[in-house]
Amino acid sequence: MAVSYNADIRPLFKSIDVQHMAFFCNLASYDDVKNNAPHILDRLKGVAGPVMPPATSGGPWSAANIALFVVREMDRRGLPALAMAS
């Protein structure tokens, strides 16, 4: 499954998400998202604090959208999709 940042991941980040997270990284930037993907994933899942984005800002992301983000990150790292099951 080929997942593109520009076509599949970037549209998941609403402008309000980009604004709210500007202190941490630029969610509109492929390089920033790539460099901070583990931290972003933790926030999407609510591992490192409250789930982001919050319900008041259109969140949280669906399980399918989080899985898409994970697939993109695995693809970028050259890991097989089956590793997601572990």
Side-chain angles (χ1 to χ4, degrees), residues 33-85:
V33 171
K34 175 181 75 170
N35 293 332
N36 292 288
H39 304 292
I40 294 168
L41 182 59
D42 283 349
R43 292 308 301 265
L44 291 171
K45 293 170 127 184
V47 174
V51 172
M52 292 294 177
T56 56
S57 296
W61 278 16
S62 68
N65 285 349
I66 292 173
L68 188 65
F69 187 85
V70 170
V71 167
R72 174 63 185 140
E73 179 60 12
M74 291 173 56
D75 183 54
R76 184 187 71 76
R77 292 177 183 220
L79 302 172
L82 293 177
M84 224 169 69

